[in-house]
Amino acid sequence: ADDLSCAVDVVKGDGRNRVALFDESMHAQLTRRMDVEQALHGAIGRQEMCLYHQPIVDVGTGTVTGFESLIRWQRDDVIVPPVDFITIAEETGIICELGAWALHEALGELRGWIDDGVVAPSTTISVNVSPRQIADPDFASVVRGALDATGMPPNLLWLEMTESMMLE
């Protein structure tokens, strides 16, 4: 059944009225995808996810005014690029769990930096959100919960959406 579904997915991706035979490359692709999907379950609990913070700098003053938080997955001593897992997380719904974790983590780290005097109290944090998260009826509660748990004011949180998401 997996062989057939993989071939069907290829045909759907290439357009209607086409034929695809399941081959070794499809098998390898399916095996890789299943491995990533299975490993994503529990990645947060195993503390394999981390955030990298890219500074946002005011070019006029040279001061850091905020950070963009970028999720990374450290798996077996290798940093897995987002391109290798975000799409799968989105398609399986795991993205909602990852997104909630990223919100809490990013806001918590900013709270610590502000409290320790490392950054100004007006410093912002930007977190990427996916279409699946936005469509989740609990999304507003997840955001509110992260803000409440960290004691951060909402104006310091920027939710970043991709251009393709805006088109959808």
Side-chain angles (χ1 to χ4, degrees):
D2 287 333
D3 295 352
L4 178 60
S5 68
C6 187
V8 168
D9 288 344
V10 168
V11 169
K12 284 181 181 177
D14 288 344
R16 295 179 178 253
N17 301 322
R18 298 186 186 264
V19 174
L21 298 176
F22 186 80
D23 63 20
E24 284 304 313
S25 69
M26 286 182 196
H27 178 68
Q29 181 182 6
L30 179 63
T31 301
R32 241 184 345 268
R33 179 190 165 84
M34 289 173 60
D35 174 60
V36 169
E37 184 177 336
Q38 182 179 7
L40 272 173
H41 288 286
I44 293 171
R46 293 187 304 272
Q47 299 180 346
E48 294 174 350
M49 293 296 171
C50 63
L51 293 179
Y52 286 17
H53 301 287
Q54 192 168 28
I56 299 169
V57 178
D58 180 325
V59 293
T61 65
T63 60
V64 173
T65 60
F67 295 91
E68 179 180 6
S69 295
L70 305 168
I71 195 166
R72 295 295 183 262
W73 183 16
Q74 174 118 16
R75 182 177 182 211
D76 301 327
D77 297 326
V78 174
I79 299 291
V80 180
V83 70
D84 290 348
F85 71 90
I86 293 295
T87 300
I88 295 170
E90 177 82 20
E91 291 170 359
T92 60
I94 298 170
I95 196 72
C96 292
E97 179 186 359
L98 293 178
W101 173 85
L103 279 168
H104 279 87
E105 189 75 8
L107 287 165
E109 289 179 7
L110 181 60
R111 167 86 293 155
W113 297 333
I114 290 172
D115 290 350
D116 292 344
V118 175
V119 298
S122 61
T123 304
T124 61
I125 195 89
S126 173
V127 178
N128 294 316
V129 294
S130 76
R132 185 91 177 238
Q133 287 174 270
I134 296 291
D136 182 351
D138 293 329
F139 182 65
S141 296
V142 168
V143 173
R144 173 53 59 199
L147 290 165
D148 289 347
T150 57
M152 294 300 294
N155 64 306
L156 297 184
L157 174 62
W158 294 6
L159 299 176
E160 190 170 320
M161 296 173 255
T162 64
E163 293 83 2
S164 61
M165 184 172 146
M166 295 301 290
L167 292 173
E168 289 175 24

